[in-house]
């Protein structure tokens, strides 16, 4: 309908068929009598498919009890409100809020329903609930004590498990006072930070430190005000245990700073000159514009290194770039390529490089001097892509649109009619020509002159849109009503050079309008029964002419207060409102804009408004349909605040934190993880990125398997190990599902550096194993000592008793005394060994340095052990170099004890053959040895020989006398003298002990 031509009857028709809600009328048998156009579009049906059908065809089926309840409300109150689901033709469901009223329809009572699409509100509420759950999940996973408390009652609203574990409090602390739980006080803390954070206009985190008297631990606290899920402001505290680092405070650097721009000029290109060695392919930068720093996002130090220019090349372009560079290092030395740079601040940028080189030989070098430029072509590339996409969209829109598209170029009078345009009139594409006369010839005779004049008037004085309705002849000889909407392209002189528009068949709508005009009384009720506030006002003085019941309820005014008052009374921005009124008068409509207005009591209300210019009682007026979206705005703002609070907490954490949806796309990410990922992979992550796209296939497969486990309902805790600078680092990865209702919608991840904890646990494990081994060996040693002490003591005590007998001969007495002396000697050696071990263990064993005659000391050992060797059928040999006397500076007693222990050991374990010992000179060291042909020691047991509390005989599973301390003492003596000892042995072939000592002072030969 043309602007300003509405009749009063048409106004009510306009309300019914232009409402964005689903309007329907049904009888008390639940049969559909009428549905508005917008409703049919939303559920995907034609009117013929639903009229006369039961309401259950398009709306959720109700139980008998539910239907009786709704009917009872309608009969008692004349109105009922409830939520329902529309069943769309494509099988989808549309959630709606329904207002049902009893009206008079064609002389009988009927039910009028207005159903509002609340899918966006439901989705926002679901997102808010999901965000709340994600917040609590992340609060629980944060490294540190996290709790939330009411600033007035001091009651704890939330506390994570670490608070309970760290302070040793009971599990059920929700609702208790924070000062009682945290400090053990009976009244609020004197140092409470509530006054500080609640008076902080910037709402920054307040950072402070304190020592908890409950466990004497120091904590660094991050306090801030957040909006809790009930809409109230509460106190959030994250407390990190800093007891171990109290003496060395770490200043946290802002890892989210971008590289500072040091570009001297805002050029979008850079000139360069290179000298290239064609034999080695090395390139030297002779000249480069400073703008390369800004263009490529590199540092000033990197600009003079050719290879550094391409460090930020897009991963998919790296091979191409370097292949082109080296392929062009040959005649005719022309370089030209396009590539992308992943700029650290500006994202992906497109560049073109062109260069020309001149090659010549300089002495033995074959060189090329290459001059060229690099230019940022991002805008050109994006414009080309946008044009291509636009053309594709145009083609798709033309093909998919139900409207007929036409395009008229006035310069050559050429016209394009889409296949749909011709199809509206029943023709195939080839049956109508693309000429302007085609449209003229098909016009209804009664409309032809009017439309040609209207087109001419528009060309002479163009407006924003060319909107008209007329009739065109169909192939079946009938006429169809066409709604035309077009826009014009003007040249610099404001002349129309091109028009583009769309034809829509509105024949059915026209018939419906005729029918609705006849049913004026039935639809007149729509104005009053509409759920949205509807106002009619004078656009000149802005005085309200008409208001429906919903407007009075929403704004809080009575009908008498409304009519005759100005709309500026409740407008928050009257100037902006006036501009919209002017625009509505100019264009005829002003749709889907949001604004803020006031309730009578001063409350702010948010509306979504559709305004149209109408004819009201013979004068121009504006019909404004105001939809109250205040609740939706609150939910949206709550969601925004919740996300802001969540990000504030995430940024306060020293752990890397992120979350993904079921397609592995990032939902949240803190700076810690973003910067670590950029450091490791060279990519700055943002929300919506698929995190698996930027890592190796092996890493992607690992993480994908973890996410899939979580999506199946499992919580995953893993320890990942990395090696940095040849040092192992450990990270505890905790992944939990994000659950909304009964659906897992994603996963939250916390990566915590536990390197120190892992290293400490490893050291503790080693220490524990060592302690257990020492305890085992000591137990064995004590058992062995008991046996070794008991044996000589039994000999001493037994033969001492025998000496008491009076009739002993002198020979018998001498024999008994000899046994007692030998037993006493054994016990004395055992006690001396134990004392030596104790001194070695406590570090009290001293070294008495003096001049030692090596040959004399070894000759004494030879003379001392020769008789014992002969008694055992063994040959004892002394082997020394032929250098005469050899004097060194050392401890002669300890060297003698070393040889005594080794030679006695060889005699003990050698049944036949020989034992040889001696030395040789190796530079500034002396190499001593004791070698036998005894039973030998198996390789697995050789490492235990020198262990304290381990008996050599026990290692070889052979029970012999002795405490098993000799070799342990021997090793300790060698190390006290600054040397080392080792052995070579083969089972059943013999053993050789070798020890070296340093020569201190001058050798005397």
């Amino acid at each position: 309908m043309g602007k300003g031509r509405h009749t009063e009857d048409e106004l009510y028709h306009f309300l019914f068929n232009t409402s964005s809600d689903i309007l329907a009328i049904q009888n008390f048998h639940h049969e559909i009598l009428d549905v508005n156009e917008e409703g049919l579009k939303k559920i995907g049906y034609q009117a013929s498919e639903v009229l006369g059908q039961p309401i259950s065809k398009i709306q959720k089926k109700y139980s008998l009890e539910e239907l009786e309840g709704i009917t009872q409300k309608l009969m008692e109150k004349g109105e009922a409100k409830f939520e329902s689901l529309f069943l769309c033709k494509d099988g989808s469901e549309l959630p709606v809020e329904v207002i049902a009223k009893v009206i008079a329809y064609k002389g009988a009572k009927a039910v009028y329903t207005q159903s509002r699409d609340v899918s966006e509100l439901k989705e926002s509420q679901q997102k808010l609930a999901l965000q709340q759950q994600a917040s609590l999940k992340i609060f629980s996973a944060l490294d540190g004590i996290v709790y939330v408390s009411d600033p007035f009652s001091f009651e704890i609203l939330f506390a994570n498990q670490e608070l309970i574990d760290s302070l040793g409090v009971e599990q059920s602390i929700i609702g208790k006072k924070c000062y009682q739980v945290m400090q053990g006080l009976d009244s609020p803390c004197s140092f409470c930070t509530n006054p500080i954070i609640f008076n902080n206009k910037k709402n920054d985190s307040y950072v402070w430190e304190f020592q908890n008297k409950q466990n004497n631990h120091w904590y660094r606290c991050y306090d801030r005000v957040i909006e809790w899920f009930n809409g109230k402001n509460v106190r959030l505290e994250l407390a990190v245990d800093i007891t171990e680092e109290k003496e060395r405070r770490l200043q946290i650097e802002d890892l989210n700073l971008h590289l500072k721009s040091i570009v001297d000029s805002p050029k979008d290109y850079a000139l360069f000159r290179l000298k290239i060695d064609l034999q080695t392919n090395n390139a030297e930068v002779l000249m480069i514009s400073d703008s390369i720093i800004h263009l490529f996002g590199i540092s000033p130090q990197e600009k003079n290194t050719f290879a550094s220019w391409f460090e930020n090349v897009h991963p998919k372009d790296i091979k191409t770039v370097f292949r082109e560079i080296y392929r062009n290092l040959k005649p005719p030395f022309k370089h030209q390529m396009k590539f992308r740079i992943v700029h650290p601040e500006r994202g992906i940028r497109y560049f073109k490089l062109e260069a020309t080189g001149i090659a010549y030989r300089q002495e033995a070098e074959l060189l090329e001097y290459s001059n060229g430029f690099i230019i940022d072509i991002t805008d050109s590339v994006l414009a080309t892509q946008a044009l291509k996409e636009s053309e594709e969209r145009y083609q798709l829109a033309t093909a998919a649109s139900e409207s007929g598209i036409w395009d008229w170029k006035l310069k050559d009078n050429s016209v394009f009619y889409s296949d749909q345009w011709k199809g509206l009139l029943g023709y195939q594409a080839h049956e109508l020509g693309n000429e302007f006369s085609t449209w003229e010839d098909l016009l209804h005779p009664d409309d032809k002159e009017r439309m040609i004049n209207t087109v001419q008037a528009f060309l002479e004085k163009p407006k924003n849109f060319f909107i008209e309705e007329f009739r065109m002849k169909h192939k079946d000889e009938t006429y169809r009503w066409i709604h035309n909407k077009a826009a014009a392209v003007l040249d610099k002189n404001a002349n129309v050079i091109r028009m583009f528009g769309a034809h829509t068949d509105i024949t059915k709508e026209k018939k419906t309008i005729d029918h609705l005009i006849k049913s004026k009384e039935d639809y007149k009720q729509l104005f009053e029964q509409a759920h949205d506030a509807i106002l009619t006002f004078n656009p000149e003085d802005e005085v309200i002419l008409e208001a429906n019941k919903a407007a009075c309820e929403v704004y809080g005014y009575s009908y008498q207060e409304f009519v005759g008052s100005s709309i500026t009374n409740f407008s928050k921005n009257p100037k902006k409102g006036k501009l919209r009124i002017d625009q509505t008068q100019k264009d005829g409509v002003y749709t889907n804009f949001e604004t803020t207005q006031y309730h009578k009591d001063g409350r702010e209300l948010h509306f979504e408004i559709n305004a149209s210019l109408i004819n009201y009682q013979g004068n121009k007026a504006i019909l404004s349909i105001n939809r109250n979206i205040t609740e939706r705005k609150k939910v949206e703002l709550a969601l925004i605040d919740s996300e802001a609070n969540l990000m504030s907490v995430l940024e306060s954490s020293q752990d890397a934190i992120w979350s993904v949806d079921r397609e592995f796309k990032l939902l949240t990410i803190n700076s810690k993880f973003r910067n670590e990922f950029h450091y490791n992979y060279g990519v700055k992550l943002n929300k919506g990125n698929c995190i698996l796209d930027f890592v190796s296939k092996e890493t992607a497969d690992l993480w994908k398997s973890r996410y899939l486990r979580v999506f199946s309902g499992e919580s995953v805790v893993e320890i990942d190990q990395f090696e940095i600078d040849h040092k192992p680092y450990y990270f505890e990865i905790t992944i939990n599902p994000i659950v909304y209702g009964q659906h897992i919608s994603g996963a939250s991840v916390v990566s915590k550096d536990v390197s120190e904890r892992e290293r400490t646990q490893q050291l503790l494990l080693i220490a524990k194993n060592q302690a257990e081994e020492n305890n085992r060996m000591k137990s064995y040693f004590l058992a062995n000592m008991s046996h070794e002490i008991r044996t000589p003591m039994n000999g001493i005590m037994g033969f001492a008793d025998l000496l008491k007998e009076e009739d002993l001969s002198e020979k018998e007495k001498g024999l008994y005394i000899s046994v007692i002396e030998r037993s006493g000697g054994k016990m004395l050696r055992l006690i001396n060994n134990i004392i030596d071990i104790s001194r070695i263990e406590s570090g009290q064993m001293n070294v008495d340095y003096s001049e030692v005659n090596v040959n004399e000391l070894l000759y004494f050992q030879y003379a001392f052990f020769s008789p014992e060797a002969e008694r055992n059928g063994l040959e004892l040999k002394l082997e020394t170099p032929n250098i005469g006397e050899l004097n060194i500076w050392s401890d002669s007693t300890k060297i003698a004890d070393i040889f005594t222990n080794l030679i006695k050991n060889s005699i003990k374990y050698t049944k036949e053959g020989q034992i040889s010992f001696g030395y040789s000179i190796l530079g500034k060291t002396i190499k001593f040895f004791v070698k036998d042909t005894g039973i030998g020691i198996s390789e697995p047991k050789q490492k235990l020989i020198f262990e304290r509390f381990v008996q050599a005989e026990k290692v070889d599973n052979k029970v012999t006398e002795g405490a098993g301390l000799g070799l342990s003492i021997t090793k300790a003596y060698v190390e006290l003298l600054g040397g080392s000892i080792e052995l070579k042995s083969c089972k059943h072939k013999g053993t050789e002990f070798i020890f070296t000592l340093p020569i201190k002072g001058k050798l005397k030969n």
Side-chain angles (χ1 to χ4, degrees):
M1 290 179 287
K3 182 169 60 175
R5 298 180 184 174
H6 297 283
T7 65
E8 186 175 353
D9 293 342
E10 291 172 336
L11 172 60
Y12 295 100
H13 157 68
F14 174 83
L15 290 175
F16 185 80
N17 277 299
T18 58
S19 174
S20 59
D21 292 335
I22 302 174
L23 307 182
I25 298 174
Q26 56 179 298
N27 58 27
F28 276 81
H29 298 293
H30 308 297
E31 296 172 341
I32 302 170
L33 304 178
D34 207 347
V35 181
N36 68 334
E37 298 170 16
E38 186 63 23
L40 292 170
K41 287 181 181 178
K42 286 189 175 181
I43 62 178
Y45 283 99
Q46 298 292 328
S48 60
E49 296 175 304
V50 298
L51 295 183
Q53 297 295 318
I55 192 67
S56 59
K57 178 179 178 68
I58 62 171
Q59 201 168 352
K60 164 192 168 185
K61 291 186 178 179
Y62 292 94
S63 65
L64 184 60
E65 292 181 359
E66 289 174 323
L67 284 173
E68 289 177 353
I70 295 171
T71 304
Q72 185 175 358
K73 286 183 180 179
L74 286 170
M75 299 303 295
E76 292 177 355
K77 299 181 180 179
E79 181 177 314
K81 295 182 180 180
F82 54 93
E83 290 188 355
S84 182
L85 289 174
F86 267 94
L87 310 176
C88 300
K89 187 175 182 180
D90 61 6
S92 61
E93 295 180 343
L94 180 69
V96 294
E97 182 182 80
V98 183
I99 297 177
K101 296 183 180 181
V102 177
I103 64 171
Y105 180 76
K106 294 184 178 180
K109 284 188 177 181
V111 178
Y112 160 76
T113 59
Q114 181 175 359
S115 304
R116 172 157 301 158
D117 181 357
V118 293
S119 57
E120 290 185 3
L121 178 61
K122 293 288 185 183
E123 183 178 355
S124 297
Q125 291 173 340
Q126 290 176 354
K127 286 183 179 178
L128 179 59
L130 185 62
Q131 190 69 62
Q132 291 172 356
Q133 186 185 40
S135 299
L136 292 180
K137 286 273 188 183
I138 293 176
F139 286 171
S140 299
L142 288 175
D143 184 20
I145 293 175
V146 179
Y147 77 95
V148 177
S149 63
D150 187 290
F152 302 105
S153 66
F154 298 96
E155 292 181 354
I156 295 176
L157 305 176
F158 169 81
N160 69 345
Q161 188 63 37
E162 188 162 342
L163 182 147
I164 295 169
D165 296 339
S166 299
L167 300 183
V169 297
E170 59 188 13
Q171 292 281 342
S172 56
I173 62 173
I174 304 301
K176 295 189 177 181
K177 307 294 185 183
C178 60
Y179 52 80
Q180 293 176 341
V181 175
M182 301 296 293
Q183 297 293 336
L185 301 176
D186 295 325
S187 59
C189 309
S190 59
F191 50 83
C192 181
T193 61
N194 281 352
I196 298 174
I197 62 176
F198 279 87
N199 290 322
N200 182 357
K201 294 182 179 179
K202 295 183 178 179
N203 195 24
D204 295 329
S205 293
Y206 178 71
V207 184
W208 60 290
E209 296 177 1
F210 82 105
Q211 187 176 23
N212 190 284
K213 303 305 180 183
Q214 303 277 77
N215 57 11
N216 292 323
H217 281 218
W218 276 94
Y219 293 91
R220 180 180 294 122
C221 302
Y222 300 84
D223 295 355
R224 73 178 296 127
V225 178
I226 66 171
E227 184 177 354
W228 198 236
F229 305 138
N230 58 6
K232 294 183 179 180
N233 286 342
V234 296
R235 162 204 180 102
L236 168 69
E237 181 169 289
L238 169 63
V240 181
D241 192 325
I242 59 169
T243 306
E244 295 181 359
E245 61 169 344
K246 179 61 180 174
E247 299 301 327
R248 51 179 184 85
R249 293 183 179 277
L250 297 176
Q251 298 298 324
I252 301 177
E253 297 180 358
D254 185 6
L255 299 178
N256 199 28
L257 290 176
H258 296 292
L259 292 173
K260 293 183 178 180
S261 176
I262 56 172
V263 181
D264 294 328
S265 60
K267 296 178 182 177
D268 59 355
Y269 64 91
L271 304 177
F272 65 85
R273 189 180 189 206
L274 305 175
K275 182 173 78 173
I276 303 171
D277 187 330
L278 297 178
Q279 296 173 333
T280 64
N281 290 338
N282 290 329
E284 177 185 351
V285 179
L286 301 178
M287 184 277 292
I288 178 64
S289 302
D290 287 343
S291 56
I292 193 72
I293 300 171
H294 168 71
L295 291 175
F296 281 7
I298 61 178
S299 67
Q301 294 77 18
E302 293 174 320
K303 78 168 188 173
N304 291 318
T305 304
F306 181 66
S308 299
W309 297 358
F310 302 100
E311 286 184 355
N312 294 333
V313 168
H314 193 286
K316 293 184 178 180
D317 292 349
I318 290 177
K319 290 184 179 179
T320 303
V321 168
F322 286 98
R323 183 178 67 245
E324 289 299 313
I325 289 174
Y326 291 111
R327 186 172 66 84
N328 290 312
L329 291 178
K330 56 185 179 181
F333 306 111
K334 288 186 177 181
H335 311 260
Q336 185 180 78
M337 62 180 174
K338 295 179 182 179
F339 55 93
R340 291 170 289 178
I341 290 288
V342 182
H343 197 285
E345 296 179 2
R346 303 166 66 202
I348 297 177
R349 307 294 297 176
Y350 295 80
F351 291 90
K352 178 180 179 181
L353 181 149
E354 288 190 10
T356 302
I358 301 175
Y360 74 102
R361 185 174 296 279
Q362 178 178 318
E363 296 179 355
E365 296 180 315
L366 182 59
L367 305 175
E368 174 196 352
Y369 282 89
S370 181
N371 300 310
F373 67 91
I374 299 171
I375 184 168
D376 189 332
I377 59 171
T378 305
D379 292 341
S380 174
V381 171
L382 295 181
T384 302
Q385 291 176 352
L387 178 60
K388 182 179 179 181
E389 292 173 359
S390 177
E391 292 175 347
E392 291 174 349
R393 282 196 297 270
Y394 171 75
Q395 293 172 357
L396 289 172
T398 301
S401 175
E402 294 181 0
S403 300
I405 306 299
W406 59 268
D407 186 356
W408 179 26
K409 297 178 182 178
L410 278 74
K411 185 176 181 180
D412 56 4
N413 201 34
S414 61
V415 181
F416 164 75
Y417 300 116
S418 70
D419 293 350
Q420 288 78 7
W421 189 94
K422 299 174 181 178
L424 289 176
L425 302 175
Y427 292 96
Q428 298 293 324
H430 66 277
E431 292 181 302
L432 290 178
N434 288 332
E435 292 91 19
F436 185 80
S437 59
T438 300
W439 172 71
E440 291 180 307
D441 294 342
L442 293 174
L443 281 171
H444 192 286
D446 294 343
D447 296 338
K448 188 169 186 177
E449 182 179 355
R450 173 177 64 85
M451 287 308 304
I452 292 175
N453 293 336
T454 304
V455 171
Q456 187 61 38
F458 181 83
L459 295 177
E460 294 173 356
K461 192 176 181 180
K463 300 178 181 180
N464 287 349
F465 295 102
F466 178 72
I467 302 175
E468 290 293 337
E469 293 179 358
F470 46 84
R471 289 163 290 181
M472 295 186 71
K473 192 174 185 179
H474 194 273
K475 188 177 181 179
D476 63 7
E477 299 298 324
T478 63
Y479 282 92
R480 304 296 172 92
W481 274 99
I482 302 297
H483 174 82
N484 173 83
K485 184 174 182 179
V489 178
L490 309 181
D491 62 13
K492 61 182 180 179
N493 297 320
N495 295 319
V496 178
I497 61 174
R498 184 177 183 181
M499 291 184 68
F500 178 87
H503 281 186
T504 304
D505 187 338
I506 60 170
T507 306
K508 291 183 180 179
E509 287 82 346
K510 281 290 185 180
K511 290 180 181 178
T512 302
I513 290 172
D514 293 340
H515 175 73
L516 290 174
I517 291 175
K518 295 176 184 177
S519 307
K520 170 187 171 182
E521 291 303 321
D522 294 336
Y523 289 103
K524 191 171 182 180
Q525 300 175 73
L526 291 178
F527 183 77
E528 284 300 324
Q529 310 252 347
H531 182 65
D532 292 329
I534 303 177
L535 300 174
T536 303
F537 61 89
N538 189 319
E540 303 301 331
D541 57 13
E542 302 180 24
V543 171
I544 297 174
L545 305 173
E546 191 63 72
N548 70 343
K549 182 180 178 181
C552 298
E553 293 175 351
V554 170
Y555 287 94
Y557 293 94
S558 66
Y559 179 79
Q560 291 73 19
E561 290 174 320
F562 243 136
V563 176
S565 66
S566 174
I567 62 173
T568 58
N569 293 344
F570 48 83
S571 177
K572 185 175 182 179
N573 191 339
K575 290 184 179 180
K576 195 170 185 179
K578 181 60 178 173
L579 293 175
R580 287 170 174 157
I581 291 172
D582 294 342
Q583 191 67 37
T584 304
Q585 291 192 86
K586 181 180 178 181
D587 297 338
V589 292
Y590 199 106
T591 60
N592 295 328
F593 67 90
E594 294 183 5
T595 187
T596 303
Q597 298 179 344
Y598 293 110
H599 190 272
K600 183 178 179 180
D601 62 12
R603 287 182 289 118
E604 284 191 355
L605 301 173
H606 299 277
F607 292 94
E608 182 180 85
I609 295 181
N610 287 277
S612 299
L613 189 66
I614 65 171
N615 186 305
Y616 181 78
Q617 297 180 356
N619 297 310
K620 286 185 178 181
I622 289 180
L623 177 73
S624 178
I625 302 176
N626 302 355
R627 171 162 294 176
N628 188 352
I629 60 171
T630 305
E631 289 302 318
R632 190 183 82 191
K633 280 292 182 182
K634 288 181 180 178
V635 173
E636 291 173 354
L637 291 174
L639 181 60
I640 293 171
D641 290 343
S642 176
E643 290 179 349
N645 290 331
L646 174 61
M647 287 309 302
S648 176
V649 174
L650 296 184
E651 294 301 332
S652 300
S653 175
Q654 298 181 17
D655 298 333
I657 302 173
W658 69 98
S659 62
V660 297
D661 60 18
R662 295 185 72 94
E663 295 180 354
F664 316 111
K665 293 181 179 179
L666 285 169
L667 297 173
T668 56
I669 177 174
N670 69 347
S671 296
K672 177 76 172 177
F673 179 62
R674 178 182 284 109
N675 292 322
E676 285 185 355
F677 197 92
H678 180 249
Y679 177 81
N680 291 322
Y681 299 102
V683 177
K684 283 265 187 177
L685 291 175
N686 291 297
K687 286 184 179 180
N689 289 150
C690 177
I691 194 170
L692 302 183
D693 289 347
F694 304 104
V695 297
S696 67
K697 184 179 184 303
E698 181 181 1
T699 303
D701 290 343
L702 170 64
W703 276 93
K704 185 176 181 181
S705 67
R706 290 176 174 175
Y707 288 136
L708 293 177
R709 288 166 58 192
V710 173
F711 294 160
S712 67
E714 181 182 353
S715 290
V716 175
V717 179
E718 302 279 359
I719 299 293
D720 285 353
Q721 179 180 347
F722 301 94
E723 190 169 288
I724 304 175
D725 297 331
H726 306 292
K727 184 179 180 181
Y729 284 82
Y730 302 88
F731 293 87
E732 183 180 76
I733 309 297
T734 304
I735 315 177
N736 287 306
I738 299 175
V739 182
Y740 182 76
Q742 297 181 349
H743 174 66
I744 297 176
S745 61
S748 63
V749 188
V750 177
S751 174
K752 178 180 178 182
D753 187 344
V754 294
S755 302
E756 289 301 324
R757 186 187 76 186
E758 289 296 317
R759 296 188 191 107
T760 301
Q761 288 178 347
Q762 291 177 4
L763 292 175
L764 287 174
L765 181 61
I766 293 172
K768 173 178 175 292
N769 293 337
Q770 186 64 43
E772 291 175 349
E773 180 63 17
N774 287 344
N775 187 55
R776 185 188 65 77
M777 291 189 292
K778 286 179 181 178
S779 298
Y780 170 73
F781 168 74
L782 291 175
N784 195 32
M785 287 303 98
S786 175
H787 169 75
E788 293 298 328
I789 292 173
R790 191 182 299 113
T791 300
M793 280 298 296
N794 288 339
I796 293 171
M797 297 299 294
F799 283 97
D801 286 340
L802 291 175
L803 285 174
K804 294 177 183 179
E805 296 181 4
E806 297 179 355
D807 56 348
L808 292 176
S809 64
E810 290 299 324
K811 183 177 180 181
E812 288 176 326
K813 289 180 180 180
L815 176 62
Y816 296 166
I817 291 171
S818 175
V819 172
I820 291 171
E821 288 176 343
R822 288 199 304 273
S823 297
K826 289 181 180 179
M827 183 172 290
L828 180 60
R829 287 194 298 274
L830 178 61
I831 292 171
N832 286 336
N833 284 342
I834 294 173
I835 292 172
D836 287 345
I837 283 293
S838 298
R839 287 177 178 174
I840 292 168
E841 287 282 354
S842 61
Q844 296 179 357
M845 178 64 72
N846 297 322
V847 179
D848 297 325
Y849 284 102
S850 63
E851 192 174 274
V852 180
N853 188 316
V854 177
N855 288 340
E856 183 180 293
L857 186 148
L858 296 185
Y859 290 150
F860 176 81
Q861 295 290 324
Y862 177 77
F864 182 82
F865 284 107
S866 288
E868 185 176 354
E870 291 178 3
R871 287 196 301 271
N872 286 277
L874 302 173
E875 179 184 1
L876 183 64
K877 296 175 63 178
L878 173 61
E879 300 176 2
T880 60
N882 188 19
I883 58 174
E885 294 293 326
L886 175 62
N887 296 320
I888 64 171
W889 189 257
S890 190
D891 189 328
S892 61
T893 301
K894 288 183 175 53
I895 296 176
D897 287 346
I898 292 170
F899 273 105
T900 297
N901 286 332
L902 295 177
I903 294 173
K904 286 180 68 66
N905 227 41
S906 292
I907 292 173
K908 187 187 302 183
Y909 290 104
T910 304
K911 296 180 180 179
E912 59 182 1
Q914 65 178 19
I915 299 170
S916 59
F917 66 100
Y919 70 93
S920 60
I921 304 297
L922 296 175
K924 293 186 178 181
T925 61
I926 300 181
K927 177 181 176 183
F928 295 99
F929 69 90
V930 176
K931 185 177 182 181
D932 63 51
T933 58
I935 62 175
I937 306 169
S938 61
E939 185 174 351
K941 299 179 181 179
Q942 291 178 17
K943 295 181 181 179
L944 301 176
I945 287 297
F946 297 111
E947 294 292 331
R948 293 169 185 173
F949 312 121
V950 174
Q951 188 182 18
E953 296 88 313
K954 180 64 177 177
V955 174
D956 202 37
N957 297 320
K958 177 181 179 182
V959 180
T960 62
E961 67 175 21
L965 298 176
L967 291 178
S968 177
I969 295 173
T970 297
K971 182 175 182 291
Y973 280 176
V974 171
E975 292 174 349
L976 279 173
L977 296 176
S980 62
I981 185 169
E982 62 180 4
L983 70 90
K984 299 177 181 177
S985 183
C986 185
K987 193 70 173 175
H988 305 303
K989 292 186 179 180
T991 302
E992 180 181 13
F993 286 91
I994 303 167
F995 66 95
T996 59
L997 297 177
I999 301 173
K1000 297 186 178 181
K1002 295 182 179 179
L1003 286 173
K1004 294 183 180 181
N1005 295 329

